[in-house]
Amino acid sequence: MTLDLLIRNATLPDGRSGLDIAARHRKIVAVEPRVEADARETIDARGRLVSPPFVDCHFHLDATLSLGLPRLNMSGTLLEGIALWGELKPLLTHEAVAERALRYCDLAVSRGLLAIRTHVDVCDDRLLAVEALLEVKKQVKPYLDLQLVAFPQDGYLRSPNAAKNLARALDLGVDVVGGIPHFERTMADGAASVKALCELAAARGLPIDLHCDESDDPNSRHIETLAAETLRLGLNGRATASHATSMHSMDNYYVSKLIPLIAESGINVVANPLINITLQGRHDTYPRRRGLTRIPELRAAGVNVALGQDCVMDPWYGLGGADMLDVAHMAVHAVPMTSREAIAWSFAGVTDAAARVMGLGGYGLHIGADADFVVLQAADPIEAVRLRAERLYVVRRGRVIARTPERLTSLALEGRPATLDPAGYAPKA
């Protein structure tokens, strides 16, 4: 038997080391101490970390790389970003949306990011971005899993044609029901939108992922309604609350009731640390709130919490680079959560936990899983987060699709002796 790819001497995220990973016919066929077989390509991991690919379970691909169009967000607030996106929407073209999305997907793959859940605005009656991203989804399928959420950016009830357009988007093949209850005109309308969207998801047998309480307002409590509707309609495991930043400002007594309800409902929660640490707290002077959801408390209750990138160079965020280790690194600092266990979890937050949000089949490093993985220039998940480790090899279905040279500085920090090419750099005496 000839293998497609053989990775030797790998360390896995769970701490097991000295393992070989064998891939054949697009699947992992062995994970064991020594695989005796020929392979079309063999990579010696040299004890480095081999991980399943990174997963971004919350992104906006229709807006990415549009920074400065038609102007910049001068206040840095969520609401100005939404207004700015409203100015840009009429100027969008199918070709421009697709071109930016494809450029981003290429960047993502180079960073070992092989699965993205992207929200796409359906409040443009043309559904231009929806059609563009459905086309992009087909184009990138050989190297990236792209999941689309029908997202009524201007409000499911507030925007006149949002309900009709959202249904049209789902009919075209969009994968997930989206919403933004805190942007409705009243709290009552927000709750009504959650109920209607959950019923739509249940009727169509689809997942639901709501921008839920992305606000500093402690009275924004739509996650409570989402949890109740999830239980009523049997959406357990298929419902996701993205952002949930108002929990940062809620009083502890209410949260002590809310978190058990979230855990009972089986809702996933997605935090977006890069974006919410910059968008939230903008009306504060000092002390200034960090504006992230309560990750440690949710995890302690057994809730599946994942981390998302959310934005890269768009009306809401002028930075970013498709690097999920940047996301994990920010989470560690911003929450903060600096125990060894919590830092290691942040790596899971952009891999296993995020894959669970997306419901990815065949994900992981076990026999029968898809042969998708990343060889990182790090010894373990904590070091990978600390160093934002280089992705030495990115593998998709048993084939190397991206390679990056090692970084000398990382070699030194990893505690391994640096090996210099005599013909290359040498320090002066």
Side-chain angles (χ1 to χ4, degrees):
M1 176 181 72
T2 300
L3 301 171
D4 297 321
L5 180 66
L6 179 59
I7 307 292
R8 292 210 180 275
N9 193 20
T11 296
L12 305 192
D14 62 11
R16 288 180 292 159
S17 61
L19 297 178
D20 292 354
I21 304 171
R24 187 168 184 262
H25 297 328
R26 302 166 61 88
K27 298 288 184 180
I28 295 175
V29 295
V31 182
E32 57 192 59
R34 183 68 185 181
V35 173
E36 298 295 345
D38 294 326
R40 293 186 177 89
E41 182 169 6
T42 300
I43 296 170
D44 185 359
R46 294 188 292 152
R48 299 189 191 282
L49 179 64
V50 178
S51 167
F54 294 108
V55 176
D56 185 359
C57 55
H58 187 99
F59 195 64
H60 292 265
L61 198 56
D62 52 353
T64 196
L65 306 183
S66 65
L67 182 67
L69 299 175
R71 59 182 179 84
L72 292 170
N73 183 338
M74 300 307 294
S75 69
T77 62
L78 171 67
L79 293 180
E80 185 177 353
I82 292 173
L84 180 51
W85 174 244
E87 294 172 24
L88 178 58
K89 267 192 289 190
L91 308 178
L92 294 175
T93 66
H94 182 107
E95 293 75 19
V97 172
E99 187 272 336
R100 287 196 297 265
L102 288 168
R103 270 196 289 141
Y104 185 83
C105 288
D106 284 346
L107 176 62
V109 168
S110 75
R111 309 309 291 153
L113 172 54
L114 301 187
I116 298 173
R117 173 181 281 186
T118 178
H119 297 251
V120 53
D121 192 356
V122 298
C123 289
D124 179 352
D125 291 340
R126 300 172 296 169
L127 291 186
L128 180 148
V130 170
E131 292 178 350
L133 292 190
L134 284 168
E135 178 184 295
V136 168
K137 179 180 177 178
K138 292 178 183 177
Q139 286 186 244
V140 302
K141 186 176 181 180
Y143 59 92
L144 187 148
D145 294 312
L146 190 59
Q147 199 174 81
L148 271 57
V149 183
F151 177 50
Q153 174 71 81
D154 299 330
Y156 183 68
L157 299 178
R158 183 174 181 172
S159 181
N161 295 325
K164 178 180 69 177
N165 290 347
L166 193 148
R168 287 171 56 209
L170 297 177
D171 290 341
L172 288 172
V174 171
D175 309 281
V176 183
V177 175
I180 185 168
H182 56 277
F183 197 64
E184 302 292 352
R185 287 192 173 89
T186 66
M187 290 291 183
D189 280 354
S193 77
V194 173
K195 182 177 180 180
L197 290 163
C198 285
E199 289 175 348
L200 178 62
R204 288 186 177 246
L206 295 175
I208 183 168
D209 187 339
L210 302 184
H211 282 58
C212 205
D213 306 322
E214 188 182 6
S215 168
D216 291 326
D217 181 1
N219 295 309
S220 186
R221 298 178 173 184
H222 298 299
I223 193 169
E224 178 184 73
T225 306
L226 177 59
E229 291 300 308
T230 296
L231 286 167
R232 180 175 74 90
L233 297 166
L235 293 171
N236 314 57
R238 290 193 284 138
T240 298
S242 290
H243 295 289
T245 59
S246 67
M247 287 180 67
H248 189 99
S249 302
M250 292 174 181
D251 69 82
N252 290 333
Y253 177 75
Y254 175 69
V255 171
S256 75
K257 296 170 59 181
L258 177 62
I259 289 180
L261 175 62
I262 294 170
E264 180 188 3
S265 71
I267 291 175
N268 304 296
V269 175
V270 178
N272 298 288
L274 290 171
I275 310 309
N276 288 129
I277 197 69
T278 54
L279 287 181
Q280 308 312 128
R282 288 284 182 162
H283 296 287
D284 296 349
T285 53
Y286 293 95
R288 177 170 287 173
R289 288 168 287 183
R290 296 174 186 232
L292 289 174
T293 197
R294 301 193 187 202
I295 292 175
E297 293 81 3
L298 288 163
R299 288 188 58 225
V303 176
N304 182 51
V305 183
L307 304 173
Q309 175 104 201
D310 196 8
C311 304
V312 169
M313 296 185 68
D314 68 9
W316 295 273
Y317 188 64
L319 301 170
D323 190 340
M324 297 310 293
L325 286 177
D326 275 349
V327 175
H329 193 268
M330 178 59 79
V332 168
H333 290 81
V335 171
M337 45 183 189
T338 53
S339 72
R340 305 300 282 176
E341 184 277 334
I343 298 171
W345 170 80
S346 74
F347 188 89
V350 294
T351 53
D352 294 326
R356 185 174 164 188
V357 171
M358 288 185 65
L360 296 178
Y363 182 87
L365 294 179
H366 54 83
I367 294 173
D370 293 327
D372 300 346
F373 38 84
V374 184
V375 181
L376 291 146
Q377 192 177 351
D380 56 42
I382 292 175
E383 190 169 74
V385 172
R386 179 172 68 89
L387 299 176
R388 272 69 59 85
E390 202 61 81
R391 288 66 158 168
L392 302 178
Y393 299 90
V394 179
V395 176
R396 172 75 166 181
R397 302 299 192 263
R399 183 172 65 89
V400 176
I401 59 173
R403 304 170 192 257
T404 304
E406 293 182 354
R407 288 186 295 187
L408 181 60
T409 52
S410 292
L411 282 169
L413 287 169
E414 288 171 55
R416 298 182 176 87
T419 302
L420 296 179
D421 181 348
Y425 171 82
K428 295 181 180 178

